[in-house]
Amino acid sequence: MNAIIGFIEKGKPFFNKLAANAYLQAIRDGFLTAMPAILFSSIFILIAALPEVFGIVLPESISSWLWRVYNLSMGIVAILVAATTARSLAENLSRKLPSGVSINVVSVMLASITGFMMLAVTEIDGGIDVTYLGTKGLLCSFIAAFITANMYKFCAIKNITIKMPPEVPGVISNVFKNVFPFSFSVLVCVLIDTIARNVFNISFAESMIALFSPIFSAADSYPGLMLVAGAMAFFWFLGIHGPSIVEPAVAAALYANVEANLRLVEEGQHASHALTIGMNNFIACLGGTGCTFVVPFLLIWFCKSKQLKAVGKASIVPCCFSVNEPVLFAAPIVLNPYFFVPFLLTPMINVCIFKFFVDALHMNSFIYVMPWAMPGPLGLFFGTGMAPMALLLAVVLLAVDVVIYAPFIKAYDSTLLEEEAQKHEEIEGEQEEEQEKTKVELNDDLNVLVLCVGAGTSAMFANAVNKGAELENLPVKAKAEAFGAHTDILKDFQLVVLSPQVQSRYDEIKADADKYGIQIVRTKGAQYIQLTKDPKGAVEFVVDASKS
C-alpha cells in the first residue's frame, strides 16, 4: 500500500497544476459568488413546499408570490454566473499582465452579461424566451465569461483602445477605454450564435444542451456518479481540494438537474436526476469529502490511541457541519495508507446507494439547494422534499459508512498505540511543551488574513489567533476569508496565512499580496489543524512569521 501511495504522490505536481487551472477556478469561484442568490431562491420554494408535507394548502396568492420570488432569482442564475465567472477569470488573468496594464473587471462583467444574452436569448412575440436564463443556460454563462475575459486581456496587452487627450477627465477616458474590448467580446458571441442558428437552426444555448446531454446523462449513471465521487476523494487524499477540480466539470448539470427535478415534482412526476449539488454535498461528501461524518465518532468510541481520541473530540463538531479538515490533516487521513481504501470507497458506495433509492425505491432526488454546511442528514432530508424515505436513507448511509471505516480505523489505532508505547509521544505532552515557550513580544499592530476554500477552517485558525492575542495581550487581529473574496480587503493586512487547501493557488495570492508588500506564509496540514486548537501557539506562529 505504501508503494501505491508513493506512486500516486509522484503525480501530485500535475494535479496541483490542474487545481490551479484558471478556468476551473473561475467556474467554481463564480458559483460561490452567486451562491447567496441560489440559496435565497431555495428558501422561498422550501417555504412554499413545507406546508404541503403536513397537509396544508397555502392560499393561491401566497403560493404565487413565493414562486415569483423563486423564478425571478433562480430563474436568472445563468446571468449572475456569467458575470461572476467573468470577474473571477479576469482577476486571475490580470495578475499575469505586465506592470501598468490592467483589466476593468466591472466592464468585463457587463460585457459577459451582454454576450451571454446574445448566446442564450431568442426573441418571441411580445418579449424574449427566458428558458435559458436559468440553470439551463449555465454552459453559455461559462462560454461568455471565457470569451469576454480573454478578449479584454488581448486588448489590454495590445493596447487596443480609444485614446483620449490628457485634458479629458479620467472617468470619461475609462468609458472610451473599454469600448473596443466590450464590442469585440459581444460581437464574438453574436457571431457564434448566428452560426449555430444557421447551421443547426436552433439557438447556441439549445445546441449546447443537445451536445452535452449525453455526457451529463452518462455522469448520472452508476459509473458516472462513482467517478465524480471517487475523483473528489482521490484529489483530497493527495491534499488537493478535490471539489475545486471535479465540480466545475459537472457544475452545469449539478444545478440544472435540481431545477429539472423540481419541475418534475410540480408536474406530479418522479424527481429522477441523481447528479445534483445536493448529492455532492450530502451524499458523496457526507460530513466532508470522503464521507467523514462518522469518523470522529468512531475515533472517540472505538480508539484507544490518545492521538486519535483527541482528533475525534476536536473534529466532531466541524465534521457535522462538513468542515472535515481537522480530521483530514490531524489524524491524518491525507496520504495515510490506512485510509486510502475507505476514503475513496465510501463516497462511491454512498452515491450508488442513493441512486438505488432514487431509481429502485422511487425516492425523489434533490429538488432544493441547501447550504453546504448544513449537517448531512438534515441537508438530505430537506433537500429531497422532506420525505420519510430520506430519513431511512440517512440511517443506511451512516451505517454503511461505519462498516467501511471501522476496520481501517481499528488497524490504524493499533499501530498508533504501539508507537505511543515506544516513543511516549502524547498530544498532551506536546501541548505542555508549547506552553513552556518564551513569551512572544510584538510592538506594532499586526492584522492577519487567514485564507482557505470555504472560510471554515480559516475561521477556526483566526479565532485561535485572536484568543491567543487576548491571552498574551498582543496587538494582533485575525480575520478569516474564503479565497476569491480576499482581493478587495487584502490591502488592510500585513500577513496572509494560507491553509493547506489553497496551496495550489499560492502564485495567484502572492501576486495579489506583492502589490501591497504583504507577507505570505504557508502551513502544513497537521501543523495548521494543531494551531486551530492552540491559541498561544497560533499567535506565536503569526508573530514569528511576520518577523521573518
Side-chain angles (χ1 to χ4, degrees), residues 353-406:
I353 294 173
F354 173 65
K355 186 163 177 63
F356 175 81
F357 267 68
V358 172
D359 289 354
L361 303 183
H362 298 287
M363 183 190 83
N364 280 333
S365 181
F366 286 88
I367 56 178
Y368 309 122
V369 179
M370 296 288 103
W372 66 268
M374 180 178 285
L378 292 180
L380 169 59
F381 177 64
F382 287 110
T384 55
M386 295 159 283
M389 187 74 73
L391 296 176
L392 174 62
L393 173 58
V395 173
V396 171
L397 291 176
L398 294 176
V400 170
D401 293 357
V402 168
V403 170
I404 295 174
Y405 266 107

Side-chain angles (χ1 to χ4, degrees), residues 97-102 177:
L97 293 177
S99 178
V101 180
S102 62
K177 180 180 178 181

